[in-house]
Amino acid sequence: MANSTTRRGLLKGGLAVSAGLAGTKAMAAGDPAITEVQDWAQSLGEGVDARPYGSPSGFEAHVKRRNVEWLTADPVSSVNFTPLHELDGIITPNGLCFERHHAGIAEVDPGLHRLMINGLVDTPLVFTMSDLMRFPRENRVYFLECAANTGMEWRGAQLNGCQFTHGMIHNVMYTGVPLRYVLEEAGVKTAGKWILPEGADASAMTRSIPLEKALDDCLLAFKMNGEALRPEQGYPLRLVVPGWEGNMWVKWLRRIEVGDQPWHHREETSKYTDLLADGQARRFTWEMDAKSVITNPSPQAPILHGPGPTVLTGVAWSGRGSIPRVDVTIDGGMNWHQARMSGPSFDKSMHRFYYEFDWDGSPLLLQSRAHDSTGYVQPTKTQLREVRGVNSIYHNNAIQTWAIDEKGRAENVEVS
Ligand code: MTE
Ligand code: CO
């Protein structure tokens, strides 16, 4: 770490954009990629009837959700991860959104799907999908992060790649009906203070959510990025709970009960609660604190081009608002630089940042630090452990470090 400071290349990092062209090779004489007529130019390609619902180029076959074998005792109650290092911008393509199921993917027939509202309401109601489509809709972009994202990193650097350390997140545009409209239609009784959404899958997952949140910004979503929800994301209907932990976003949503107190079911007691250093568990941690990660370079996306102009990029998000600022360091925290934000900035949505610098070929320690619109700053691992201990597997939003060696290879490490 000591030998990675005060190098000229690092200090002039902010100016590297103008040096960009210097790293580009002059035209090579006799390059067969230019001089030869490639296969794809020698015959006609497929017609417009070949791909009625498109899929990515075969050259992108490595871009996929992946799981971790030792975390996957049985794939029907497990997780796979979004390949963050292969993506750019802020929107996650539907086919790459990580999946977390407690009882596999329910294949629900939308014609037979019903949403029931019962409990402390004036009129218990049942909606078909087409009933729901007659309420006014809204379009909003939100991240969904599982509370267990980065959960394997509490005690030390463990999984080697941002897909595995940070890939339990996706960010899409939802189309849906504000939950408030449907609750107002049923008429919540004065004693009603909580809701209990329930899934139609074999896990019948339930979570207690305060009525205040339900009436604020929750959506009954049926579209993501313009198309129908994918089966793995809860087709035909899922609850969107902006900024709050992913477990509350009940998929295949079939029922919402209104009650006067939380139910304390499995997912909010033995799971998704934070065990602290003194053995006490924190009751309910709903909002996801500000967090960021550098996606490139990273262990699955090493620097392959050698010294010279280098693009560093990553994502940041906060369950409490937007991300006006991200700082990055390439020397393990000795010098911090303000990253360049690019792309739309929405509350409770992913943000994209870049930092272009001139790599001199020596080892680096890369970190990013998010600031959210409330003024909160993403903590170091040491700061987080001081408050939370290391017993939890949930809600780890600490700063992540990637070490880069002379060959541009990256590794998950910790610096104190
Ligand atoms: N809803 C139902 N019905 N069944 C589930 O297993 N998993 C929850 C939540 N909603 C789950 C569910 C968890 S723990 C998370 S993190 C998110 O859905 C994952 O959403 P995704 O599969 O779209 O990534
Ligand atoms: Co989860």
Side-chain angles (χ1 to χ4, degrees), residues 62-337:
H62 57 287
V63 180
K64 57 184 178 188
R65 302 186 275 222
R66 290 168 200 273
N67 56 17
V68 172
E69 214 171 299
W70 59 269
L71 286 173
T72 312
D74 185 334
V76 299
S77 179
S78 194
V79 63
N80 62 25
F81 301 89
T82 304
L84 294 174
H85 61 292
E86 297 286 358
L87 304 179
D88 218 314
I90 65 161
I91 295 294
T92 316
N94 292 348
L96 293 175
C97 288
F98 88 95
E99 304 165 62
R100 171 76 177 103
H101 315 304
H102 290 73
I105 301 169
E107 288 281 353
V108 175
D109 177 343
L112 295 177
H113 191 68
R114 300 290 182 268
L115 174 66
M116 178 190 294
I117 313 283
N118 70 339
L120 295 176
V121 290
D122 297 332
T123 321
L125 295 173
V126 173
F127 299 94
T128 63
M129 286 307 295
S130 58
D131 293 337
L132 290 173
M133 303 293 183
R134 297 174 66 190
F135 283 89
R137 298 169 207 173
E138 291 192 9
N139 294 297
R140 300 201 226 121
V141 180
Y142 293 122
F143 76 83
L144 178 163
E145 184 183 18
C146 179
N149 198 23
T150 323
M152 296 301 117
E153 307 292 308
W154 273 104
R155 287 166 193 270
Q158 188 157 221
L159 296 168
N160 220 18
C162 67
Q163 178 167 18
F164 306 115
T165 54
H166 289 73
M168 286 167 78
I169 185 162
H170 52 65
N171 196 66
V172 305
M173 178 182 286
Y174 293 97
T175 305
V177 172
L179 175 56
R180 179 163 51 90
Y181 297 163
V182 171
L183 290 173
E184 280 166 1
E185 185 97 349
V188 174
K189 288 188 190 298
T190 322
K193 296 283 181 262
W194 291 79
I195 64 160
L196 186 79
E198 178 185 75
D201 56 327
S203 79
M205 228 196 64
T206 49
R207 278 296 299 257
S208 304
I209 300 176
L211 183 67
E212 203 181 6
K213 177 69 174 173
L215 297 177
D216 177 18
D217 57 0
C218 290
L219 289 178
L220 300 168
F222 39 83
K223 296 256 158 86
M224 54 196 285
N225 293 332
E227 66 173 9
L229 292 175
R230 295 283 171 101
E232 58 270 37
Q233 264 78 43
Y235 178 84
L237 191 67
R238 105 172 288 169
L239 186 62
V240 166
V241 191
W244 289 23
E245 61 184 6
N247 184 257
M248 307 176 97
W249 299 48
V250 173
K251 304 193 275 191
W252 312 290
L253 179 69
R254 74 165 169 203
R255 191 173 70 94
I256 294 176
E257 186 175 333
V258 178
D260 58 356
Q261 53 192 321
W263 284 258
H264 290 118
H265 283 181
R266 173 185 179 272
E267 306 290 299
E268 51 207 11
T269 50
S270 78
K271 304 292 175 199
Y272 303 102
T273 50
D274 298 324
L275 186 56
L276 302 176
D278 64 2
Q280 300 236 16
R282 246 186 4 188
R283 187 191 190 213
F284 306 143
T285 303
W286 297 317
E287 274 171 315
M288 300 305 289
D289 285 325
K291 186 164 165 180
S292 68
V293 66
I294 293 170
T295 55
N296 308 77
S298 65
Q300 297 162 286
I303 304 176
L304 297 174
H305 54 59
T310 301
V311 173
L312 178 157
T313 186
V315 285
W317 60 94
S318 166
R320 298 174 195 274
S322 64
I323 301 285
R325 172 176 161 194
V326 175
D327 302 325
V328 301
T329 175
I330 59 177
D331 57 18
M334 277 182 261
N335 298 284
W336 288 93
H337 315 272

